Structure formats: structure tokens, C-alpha cells
Amino acid sequence: GIPVSPGVAIGKALVLRSEDFFVVPKAEVPSQEIPKEIVRFEEALTKTRSELFSIRKKIAHDIGHEHSDIFSAHLLILEDRTLIEDVLSKIKNECVSAEYAFSVVVQRYFHAFAQIDDEYLRERVSDIKDVGRRILQNLRGEKKDSLVHLEDEVIVIAHDLSPSETATMDREHVIAFATDIGGPTSHTAIMARSMEIPAVVGLDRISKEVANGDYLIIDGKRGIVLVHPDPSTIDRYTREEKRFVELISKLDKLKLLAAETLDGHRLQLVANIEFPDEIPSVIAHGAEGIGLYRTEYFYMNRTDLPSEEEQFEAYRHVAEQLAPKPVVIRTLDLGGDKFLSSLDLPREMNP
């Protein structure tokens, strides 16, 4: 798979199965019941909004405002008038339940995003699914947050994990996770790195190949998941996990010391970033600034080109967060493995 958060974890699997969550049987309702279905849908939106506000507040407190902003984007999805009007029209015109109407409309959104030829925008479908799942659960009156209160240490295995599932999971007991889909730019991957939970994504069939209670090893550095490892492999990875923890602990004690050689030569130890979301981790680990802010990702996560004002605001945000430490911004680096959706550029590996 794709390694998105380093570290080693050894433990038992907890498998979440949710691929068919949005498949809802068609249920017709009498015309006189339509107002009641509309009220149910509006109440589900209100309850979902309240839940997202609570999660945003918790994340801002636990791991910083950079990550809580993800849920500001989720709240905007709840304000999407096109989506809401489409659901209301389907309820009224076809005399169907709110659950069925919403599931049909939101799956159209999933399909549309899946067709987009831009990795970042394609991965935003997980944000829509996250909000959609909450709305549907509230309509059904179902219990949520299966990862909030756990009794044993587990490695979570899923087709996909939503940002809110990642953000609210019981961090004492979830020691790692692995998913069928996803990439390094997904909000879930970014949050895993900031929470320092080993994670591997893009494994294709892991949720179908693994059962609850299976013994696993997650190698978040190499992007490997081992199922039913033999004793010698477990022993090797146990030693590697111990070395990793010891290394992180030693480095943690050094982070506030000057980067200086034995003969007194002073170096500046700085961090490379791709996303502003990584700044809290940069600060927490004692970097003396940003040595390379890769700006092409700011261009790639959209279907048009950013304006001068948008670029100014994005770069100012990073500079202010690090002030008075320096930030080196690299101008647009495209070609090879990075292309823009908004420009019709020829695809060649050595432009």
C-alpha cells in the first residue's frame, strides 16, 4: 500500500465494513406524510451540524486549529443548497422516504467526484461521504462513533476512514490503521501523521482479506501490512518497534538543543512541507523554520488557477504561523509526476 504515517504496530484487527452503507431500499410514503419526511431531513441536517461543531472544537483543543479547519469544510457541505434542494425535490416529487432520497442524491455526488482527473479533488469524496454518513445515521437513528470507546488495543481495518472517524478515535486503544483506498493528500492521512498513528492506505482489498481478531503487523514506513505473521517476523518487528520508539524518545529530548557540530559549527535545522496542515507538527518537533514549502500542491487541489490574492493569503498564513522563523517558498514545480488539472499540459516524464 501507500505509507502515510511512519511507525510499527503489532496487534489484533478491528474490521469496519461500510462499503454498502449508502445503499438504501426505496421506500414510498403517502403524500400526506411528505411534510413529516421533510422535517426529518431538516432535523438530521441540524443534528449533523451540531455534531460537526463539537468535533471541530475537540480537534482544535487536541491537535490544533489547522486540523479543525477540515470540519469547517464539512460544515460547508451541509450548506450546499443544490444538494439540499435535490433531496427535497425527490421527496416531494417521488413521494419517497428522506433516507432513500438522500442516498440517491449523495451517491450522484460520489460518482461525479470519482470521475475527476485530479487526485486531490478525487479524494475529497471521502469528506462528502463523512458528512453523508452522519446525515444518514441521524435519519435512521443509528448509534455512531464505534471507535470512540474501546477496551482493547486494536488495529483498525476499513474500506476507508472518514476524517471525523480518524479525529475522534480512541487514541489510547487504536494503535494503527489500514484502508483499501486513500492517498497521501487525504485529510485522514494528514491527521494520522499529526496524531503519530502508523497508517497504510491504498491496499485495495485489505478490508476483505482480514477478519476481526486477525493478528497483524503495520509497517507505516514501508507501506506494508503483514497478516498472520510467523513468530520470527513478529520478533523482528517487535525489535524494530522498540527501536523506533526509543529513537523518537531520544530525538524528542534533543529538539530544543542547538544543531551544532562538536567543533562549534552552527547549522539551521528546518522542515519541508507540502501542506499548511503540517505546521503544528513542524513547531512541535522544534524545527527552526521551513526550508522548502512545496507550492505545487496549492495549485493541484483545484480545477482552476489560484488568483494572486489567494496565493498571498496562503503563503502569508504559513509565514505568520512560523514567524519570526524563516519560510522558503519554492515556486511552481510541475512535470514528471505532478500535473495540473486546470492547464492542458503535455504529459511527459522529462519536460
Side-chain angles (χ1 to χ4, degrees), residues 295-322:
T295 61
E296 55 272 14
Y297 292 92
F298 180 63
Y299 285 74
M300 292 170 73
N301 58 1
R302 57 195 302 141
T303 54
D304 59 348
L305 289 171
S307 67
E308 181 180 347
E309 183 64 22
E310 285 176 281
Q311 293 175 70
F312 169 71
E313 289 297 336
Y315 305 149
R316 181 175 73 169
H317 173 71
V318 172
E320 286 179 345
Q321 293 291 305
L322 269 297

Side-chain angles (χ1 to χ4, degrees), residues 273-309:
I273 65 166
E274 293 171 348
F275 313 103
D277 293 343
E278 296 174 280
I279 292 172
S281 180
V282 169
I283 294 169
H285 289 91
E288 295 178 76
I290 301 293
L292 174 61
Y293 177 12
R294 300 181 178 95
T295 61
E296 55 272 14
Y297 292 92
F298 180 63
Y299 285 74
M300 292 170 73
N301 58 1
R302 57 195 302 141
T303 54
D304 59 348
L305 289 171
S307 67
E308 181 180 347
E309 183 64 22

Side-chain angles (χ1 to χ4, degrees), residues 187-333:
H187 284 147
T188 300
I190 292 167
M191 293 185 71
R193 287 194 290 274
S194 65
M195 295 163 73
E196 300 182 3
I197 297 175
V200 181
V201 302
L203 286 151
D204 191 36
R205 290 183 51 83
I206 189 76
S207 68
K208 293 182 175 67
E209 301 288 346
V210 171
N212 271 329
D214 280 357
Y215 207 69
L216 306 176
I217 295 174
I218 301 282
D219 183 339
K221 184 179 179 181
R222 300 180 184 88
I224 293 170
V225 178
L226 297 163
V227 186
H228 300 306
D230 59 40
S232 64
T233 304
I234 293 171
D235 184 54
R236 176 164 56 87
Y237 269 99
T238 299
R239 292 196 304 272
E240 187 166 329
E241 180 185 20
K242 186 180 177 185
R243 280 197 303 272
F244 182 80
V245 171
E246 287 174 350
L247 174 63
I248 295 299
S249 178
K250 285 178 182 176
L251 292 175
D252 224 29
K253 293 172 184 174
L254 299 174
K255 67 184 181 184
L256 297 179
L257 298 178
E260 193 174 287
T261 62
L262 291 174
D263 61 355
H265 183 68
R266 183 80 163 82
L267 299 170
Q268 189 179 42
L269 192 60
V270 292
N272 292 356
I273 65 166
E274 293 171 348
F275 313 103
D277 293 343
E278 296 174 280
I279 292 172
S281 180
V282 169
I283 294 169
H285 289 91
E288 295 178 76
I290 301 293
L292 174 61
Y293 177 12
R294 300 181 178 95
T295 61
E296 55 272 14
Y297 292 92
F298 180 63
Y299 285 74
M300 292 170 73
N301 58 1
R302 57 195 302 141
T303 54
D304 59 348
L305 289 171
S307 67
E308 181 180 347
E309 183 64 22
E310 285 176 281
Q311 293 175 70
F312 169 71
E313 289 297 336
Y315 305 149
R316 181 175 73 169
H317 173 71
V318 172
E320 286 179 345
Q321 293 291 305
L322 269 297
K325 296 172 182 174
V327 176
V328 178
I329 300 172
R330 179 174 72 187
T331 52
L332 195 59
D333 175 29

Side-chain angles (χ1 to χ4, degrees), residues 38-328:
I38 291 172
V39 169
R40 287 181 60 238
F41 178 58
E42 290 173 344
E43 286 176 345
L45 292 177
T46 301
K47 188 172 182 183
T48 302
R49 189 176 294 109
S50 175
E51 290 170 354
L52 290 175
F53 271 119
S54 296
I55 293 171
R56 187 174 69 171
K57 186 176 179 181
K58 180 183 186 301
I59 295 309
H61 177 268
D62 289 354
I63 57 175
H65 287 283
E66 303 295 328
H67 299 284
S68 67
D69 284 347
I70 291 170
F71 299 98
S72 299
H74 286 199
L75 287 161
L76 286 176
I77 295 170
L78 285 173
E79 306 296 335
D80 187 326
R81 292 312 306 174
T82 306
L83 185 150
I84 293 168
E85 293 300 333
D86 282 355
V87 175
L88 294 177
S89 295
K90 197 165 189 70
I91 294 171
K92 293 173 191 173
N93 298 336
E94 299 181 25
C95 293
V96 291
S97 69
E99 289 93 332
Y100 176 73
F102 177 72
S103 71
V104 171
V105 170
V106 82
Q107 284 186 80
R108 283 210 305 265
Y109 276 66
F110 299 162
H111 181 73
F113 268 76
Q115 306 307 309
I116 295 173
D117 188 26
D118 183 288
E119 183 188 8
Y120 183 94
L121 289 175
R122 258 200 326 273
E123 287 180 353
R124 299 288 69 76
V125 75
S126 67
D127 298 325
I128 301 173
K129 283 185 176 179
D130 192 3
V131 177
R133 185 177 289 109
R134 287 186 170 274
I135 293 169
L136 206 48
Q137 284 174 322
N138 285 325
L139 279 168
R140 291 167 164 171
E142 291 179 350
K143 189 175 180 293
K144 292 178 285 294
D145 300 331
S146 57
L147 298 177
V148 176
H149 302 295
L150 298 168
E151 294 181 359
D152 301 310
E153 285 193 347
V154 295
I155 294 172
V156 174
I157 303 296
H159 177 68
D160 190 20
L161 277 174
S162 70
S164 69
E165 285 174 319
T166 313
T168 57
M169 63 174 53
D170 181 343
R171 289 165 68 185
E172 282 189 28
H173 292 100
V174 176
I175 58 174
F177 68 78
T179 61
D180 294 338
I181 64 174
T185 63
S186 68
H187 284 147
T188 300
I190 292 167
M191 293 185 71
R193 287 194 290 274
S194 65
M195 295 163 73
E196 300 182 3
I197 297 175
V200 181
V201 302
L203 286 151
D204 191 36
R205 290 183 51 83
I206 189 76
S207 68
K208 293 182 175 67
E209 301 288 346
V210 171
N212 271 329
D214 280 357
Y215 207 69
L216 306 176
I217 295 174
I218 301 282
D219 183 339
K221 184 179 179 181
R222 300 180 184 88
I224 293 170
V225 178
L226 297 163
V227 186
H228 300 306
D230 59 40
S232 64
T233 304
I234 293 171
D235 184 54
R236 176 164 56 87
Y237 269 99
T238 299
R239 292 196 304 272
E240 187 166 329
E241 180 185 20
K242 186 180 177 185
R243 280 197 303 272
F244 182 80
V245 171
E246 287 174 350
L247 174 63
I248 295 299
S249 178
K250 285 178 182 176
L251 292 175
D252 224 29
K253 293 172 184 174
L254 299 174
K255 67 184 181 184
L256 297 179
L257 298 178
E260 193 174 287
T261 62
L262 291 174
D263 61 355
H265 183 68
R266 183 80 163 82
L267 299 170
Q268 189 179 42
L269 192 60
V270 292
N272 292 356
I273 65 166
E274 293 171 348
F275 313 103
D277 293 343
E278 296 174 280
I279 292 172
S281 180
V282 169
I283 294 169
H285 289 91
E288 295 178 76
I290 301 293
L292 174 61
Y293 177 12
R294 300 181 178 95
T295 61
E296 55 272 14
Y297 292 92
F298 180 63
Y299 285 74
M300 292 170 73
N301 58 1
R302 57 195 302 141
T303 54
D304 59 348
L305 289 171
S307 67
E308 181 180 347
E309 183 64 22
E310 285 176 281
Q311 293 175 70
F312 169 71
E313 289 297 336
Y315 305 149
R316 181 175 73 169
H317 173 71
V318 172
E320 286 179 345
Q321 293 291 305
L322 269 297
K325 296 172 182 174
V327 176
V328 178

Side-chain angles (χ1 to χ4, degrees), residues 27-40:
E28 296 181 355
V29 297
S31 57
Q32 65 269 26
E33 296 291 319
I34 295 302
K36 190 183 291 184
E37 291 301 303
I38 291 172
V39 169
R40 287 181 60 238

